[in-house]
Structure formats: C-alpha cells, structure tokens
Amino acid sequence: MTRQADTHAARTGHDAVAPVAVIGLACRLPGASDPDAFWDLLRRGGSAIGPPPADRRPPRAPARRDTEHAGGPTQYADGPEELPGGYVDNVDRFDADFFGISPHEAAETDPQQRLLLELAWEALEEAGIVPARLAGTSVGVYVGAMAYDYATLRHRPDAAPLTRHTLTGLNRGLLANRVSYTLGLRGPSLTVDSAQSSALVALHLAYRAVRDGDCALALAGGVNLNLAPDSTSAAARFGGLSPDGRSYPFDARANGYVRGEGAGLLLLKPLARALADGDPVHSVILGSAVNNDGGGAGLTVPSADAQRDVLLRAARQAGIDPREVQYVELHGTGTPVGDPVEAEALGAAYGAARSADEPLLVGSVKANVGHLEGAAGVAGVLKTVLSLRHRQLPATLNHETPNPRIPLDALRLRVQRALGPWPRPERRLVAGVSSFGMGGTNCHVLLAEPPAVDTVDTADATDADSTRTRIRAASAAAGAVVPWPV
C-alpha cells in the first residue's frame, strides 16, 4: 500500500482497500474510433448526435406518431425511429479471419460480440501486452449489455434460415465468453444485465475480482448497438425519448434522452503490481458500490434515498471523505423525473458539507454521444479517466438554464459548462461515476489519478529494479516518447 493510501485511511477512520489500476483503454463510440478521438470530441465540445444510418430505419416510417408517457403524449414528426441518435460507423464490418472465425459463423454472430473481440485486442495492445501471452492465465472478462437487436432481426419471419451458429451467435452470455475463448483466458467470464447500469456494474464486479485476487487481470466494460428500429419504438412508447432528439442534462428543457450506441473496455490490474511492472496507469479505482431501490413509487421510478446510499457506501468502501470528490460524471439522462432525483441524492451525499464557493462539479457525456443504455456506464468512465489523465474537465453540452426543480446552489452542485481545469488541481484528483438502471439497480464508482511515483513502496525491489520502475512509471504518466532501437 502506498503512503498516500495510508494517510487517507487514517484521516477517514476506514481501512483503505488496495486500489486497482486501469492500465488499458479501448472504445468505439459515436464520432470516436478510439480513446484519443473520444478525448478530442470531448475537449472541443463536439456532438456526435446525427440522423440514423439508412440501414437502421424502418422500411416505411409513419408521418406522425403519438407516444403516451407519464407527462402526456409526445409528438414525433417522422416517427421515433427517425430521431437523431449517436451511431457508430461500420458495425457490419469485421475481420473474421484475424480471429479464426469462418465467414458463415461471423455472419450469424451478433456484431456486439465481434466489436468486443476487437476492443479486447486493442485494450491489451494499448497496455503493451501481447494477447497471446495471456493464454491459459487467470484473466477475467466482465461485460455489461442489455440490447438484443441482432436477435430481433435474426428471428423475423423474412430472415434467412437459422444455422448451427445461430445459438452461439445470439446468446448474450457469449459477449464475454467469446472473448475468453478466443484469447484463451481462464478467469471469470460473464455478461451482466442490470439494464442501463450494466456496464458500470460489470466494472464493479471486475474491480472486486482483481482486488480480491480472483483474477490477475480483468477486461471490463460494456456494449450496446441499436440495430433494430423496434427497440427505438419500444423506448419511445415507454416515454423516455426526447422528441427533438437532444439531451439536456439538468437543464430546464430536459424532456428525455437520446439513444446512443458503442462499446468500451478497460484493462484492470492491482495498482502495486502495475507500478512494479512499469505499466501505464491511466487512473486508479478506489472503490465502488451497488444497490437497488427496493420498491418505491413504481418499478422504473428512481429513489433518491437509494442513490444517496450507494454514493455514501462507495465513499466508505474507498476510504475517502465525500468532500475529496471534485467531479461526478452523472447518469444525467436529461429526463424530467430522473435528473431532479439524481441531483437531490448527490447533493445530500457529496454536496451537503461543502461551502458555497466550492461546489461539486458535475457533467454528463450523454449530451455528446447519446445514452448508450447498457454501455452507458463505460462511456462515463472513459470520459472520467481521460479527464483525470489530461487534468481537464470537458463541457457538458446543452446546459443553459438550470432545471427549476434542481436547486443547484442549495445542493452545492455546479454543471461544468466549459473546458477547464479541475477545481483543486493541487490536491489529489478524485471523481465519481454514477449509473442507474430502470429497474432500480444503482452503481457508483470512485476513480483517482495515479499516485505520484515517489509514493510507491519499492522496498522489496533492488535499487536497480526500483530505478527502472520509477523511470518507466514516470515516462508512462507523462506520455513520453520512448525510443525503440531496431
């Protein structure tokens, strides 16, 4: 354990849990094919929301569609399937031969499985790990997902006959298992479905598994592809979609969310081991918590009490004072019901003890790329990890006038509206990420910047090993260019 962790444990009166490092990143998000492109989108305040691709639209969209929800009928000028959203390019393309999959099997395999194979490889590469060297080792795979659009398309009456590859190609359990099989990974392998909190719950489980020694490394994240117009129609009939195709987090105009798609994976490793091995440490997971609303006004109505509880439990588990958190990446869907509840819970948990001149900064990536539903949590985590790495906080789009039902000042919250520095950059940067499922499963994860190199305990290493470790860690943290003699 680092001296930094000892200090925080003593100050909070809790036993600090050994932190886990994020050493690899990979993503495919609207407007961003990798983490660098994603940061560029965030840094410049870009929006990747646009019209659906031609092959995602229904053959004939109605001229007008009315959808009933709690607030009354919502009008869609061209049908909800025509609403703008966040889409990923070329999800139909896949190098099957690279992964040893036949063309026939690839055609029957959910593009979500195929995308995760690509990202697993990229995350390992980004961490400087040769995938073949992990074969037969205890590496876990934890994937959050709730979409089954490809199965919907495949089971339509006019679809081609089913084949011997259809069952494995469509089974959601194989979203994780296909990665484990292809790379020969022997650790835990499972797909998590807790609705919109799936990806963050998957990360929570992966973090716990690595922390507790169930696996030496873990790939964790989520995937969501909106391939069938039917799923958009279902979301519209539920009453969740913004009729103008925009998300307004914590704003007076909040009227629903915008659908998004994509995927992301993070590679996790115990921090002490990552530092000793000279791995690039993008950020550190300090702690996390999961709970459920457990009843309330309705199956899909969020509970401020339960959300407050999961936030406080995550802070206790991480051994930190809530006032140390400088930023929270919200679930922030831009819905009239969800946003005020989330604000109330966050203000009570992390804002109450703050002074008026040091509010907690908050934001939501959903205004940039849409609500990735089952993969929403990993989009928020990626944004937060990149914000820690670059020591800047991107703007939250479409926030102009605070929602009158959200007393930001009283709750000691402030929406981050422009690219800028962290409020207290001289302190350790700590951030939270929240994700809430429509069935009441709530998750919160606390992240921090990597520890300074001189806090690493290298007492069990030789002087030469210690020097090499410090040089590698410092170079990785600074993003230094390293010569590669050939």
Side-chain angles (χ1 to χ4, degrees), residues 90-114:
N90 304 322
V91 295
D92 58 329
R93 299 182 186 180
F94 178 64
D95 189 351
D97 187 58
F98 181 84
F99 292 101
I101 299 175
S102 72
H104 291 296
E105 183 174 7
E108 288 296 301
T109 301
D110 189 335
Q112 295 183 129
Q113 285 190 36
R114 305 186 323 220

Side-chain angles (χ1 to χ4, degrees), residues 253-485:
R253 297 167 293 172
N255 60 1
Y257 69 88
V258 177
R259 298 195 79 199
E261 65 178 10
L265 286 177
L266 292 81
L267 182 62
L268 310 184
K269 186 176 185 177
L271 176 62
R273 188 69 261 164
L275 292 171
D277 292 344
D279 295 317
V281 179
H282 300 297
S283 69
V284 175
I285 302 178
L286 300 177
S288 62
V290 173
N291 72 359
N292 190 274
D293 292 346
L299 175 64
T300 63
V301 178
S303 164
D305 288 342
Q307 290 183 17
R308 181 185 67 246
D309 177 62
V310 83
L311 292 161
L312 292 174
R313 286 177 55 199
R316 286 195 299 269
Q317 200 274 331
I320 67 168
D321 187 313
R323 289 173 295 183
E324 293 180 62
V325 181
Q326 297 193 39
Y327 173 80
V328 169
E329 175 64 20
L330 302 164
H331 186 58
T333 54
T335 55
V337 174
D339 282 7
V341 169
E342 181 173 12
E344 178 187 346
L346 185 57
Y350 288 177
R354 296 172 188 266
S355 62
D357 58 347
E358 287 193 3
L360 174 65
L361 297 182
V362 299
S364 174
V365 75
K366 292 177 176 64
N368 301 88
V369 296
H371 186 350
L372 270 63
E373 298 171 353
V378 76
V381 168
L382 284 165
K383 173 187 172 181
T384 306
V385 169
L386 293 169
S387 298
L388 289 165
R389 188 168 81 183
H390 293 278
R391 299 183 68 83
Q392 287 186 304
L393 291 171
T396 295
L397 306 185
N398 304 333
H399 181 84
E400 296 176 1
T401 305
N403 189 325
R405 297 177 58 198
I406 302 177
L408 291 174
D409 292 339
L411 295 171
R412 300 292 192 263
L413 306 177
R414 188 175 73 208
V415 177
Q416 180 72 11
R417 296 178 56 182
L419 179 69
W422 289 68
R424 297 302 297 269
E426 75 280 5
R427 298 180 180 176
R428 180 176 66 156
L429 305 185
V430 178
V433 181
S434 293
S435 197
F436 310 131
M438 64 180 175
T441 297
N442 310 306
C443 185
H444 188 72
V445 174
L446 286 163
L447 303 163
E449 62 180 334
V453 175
D454 62 4
T455 67
V456 181
D457 184 2
T458 55
D460 58 347
T462 66
D463 288 343
D465 285 342
S466 177
T467 299
R468 283 194 294 270
T469 296
R470 292 168 188 272
I471 291 172
R472 284 197 301 266
S475 297
V481 176
V482 180
W484 183 12

Side-chain angles (χ1 to χ4, degrees), residues 86-369:
Y87 293 94
V88 174
D89 296 330
N90 304 322
V91 295
D92 58 329
R93 299 182 186 180
F94 178 64
D95 189 351
D97 187 58
F98 181 84
F99 292 101
I101 299 175
S102 72
H104 291 296
E105 183 174 7
E108 288 296 301
T109 301
D110 189 335
Q112 295 183 129
Q113 285 190 36
R114 305 186 323 220
L115 182 54
L116 287 168
L117 281 176
E118 295 174 349
L119 294 182
W121 192 277
E122 292 175 16
L124 294 172
E125 278 191 333
E126 205 264 346
I129 296 174
V130 178
R133 293 184 180 175
L134 296 181
T137 64
S138 179
V139 179
V141 181
Y142 296 79
V143 174
M146 61 179 281
Y148 48 88
D149 281 23
Y150 199 64
T152 298
L153 296 174
R154 223 24 219 98
H155 289 305
R156 283 182 172 170
D158 59 347
L162 306 183
T163 75
R164 65 190 183 94
H165 298 300
T166 304
L167 181 63
T168 54
L170 301 183
N171 188 288
R172 265 190 291 178
L174 269 77
L175 291 170
N177 298 165
R178 177 86 68 173
V179 173
S180 299
Y181 168 78
T182 302
L183 300 181
L185 310 179
R186 295 286 180 86
S189 182
L190 61 148
T191 302
V192 177
D193 185 353
S194 60
Q196 290 83 354
S197 59
S198 298
L200 205 63
V201 172
L203 180 64
H204 161 82
L205 295 174
Y207 154 71
R208 294 293 182 96
V210 172
R211 184 198 70 183
D212 296 343
D214 292 341
C215 48
L217 297 167
L219 286 161
V223 63
N224 187 73
L225 292 179
N226 302 321
L227 305 175
D230 314 53
S231 60
T232 299
S233 295
R237 291 183 180 280
F238 171 72
L241 297 187
S242 167
D244 56 5
R246 275 189 159 194
S247 176
Y248 304 100
F250 279 29
D251 192 88
R253 297 167 293 172
N255 60 1
Y257 69 88
V258 177
R259 298 195 79 199
E261 65 178 10
L265 286 177
L266 292 81
L267 182 62
L268 310 184
K269 186 176 185 177
L271 176 62
R273 188 69 261 164
L275 292 171
D277 292 344
D279 295 317
V281 179
H282 300 297
S283 69
V284 175
I285 302 178
L286 300 177
S288 62
V290 173
N291 72 359
N292 190 274
D293 292 346
L299 175 64
T300 63
V301 178
S303 164
D305 288 342
Q307 290 183 17
R308 181 185 67 246
D309 177 62
V310 83
L311 292 161
L312 292 174
R313 286 177 55 199
R316 286 195 299 269
Q317 200 274 331
I320 67 168
D321 187 313
R323 289 173 295 183
E324 293 180 62
V325 181
Q326 297 193 39
Y327 173 80
V328 169
E329 175 64 20
L330 302 164
H331 186 58
T333 54
T335 55
V337 174
D339 282 7
V341 169
E342 181 173 12
E344 178 187 346
L346 185 57
Y350 288 177
R354 296 172 188 266
S355 62
D357 58 347
E358 287 193 3
L360 174 65
L361 297 182
V362 299
S364 174
V365 75
K366 292 177 176 64
N368 301 88
V369 296

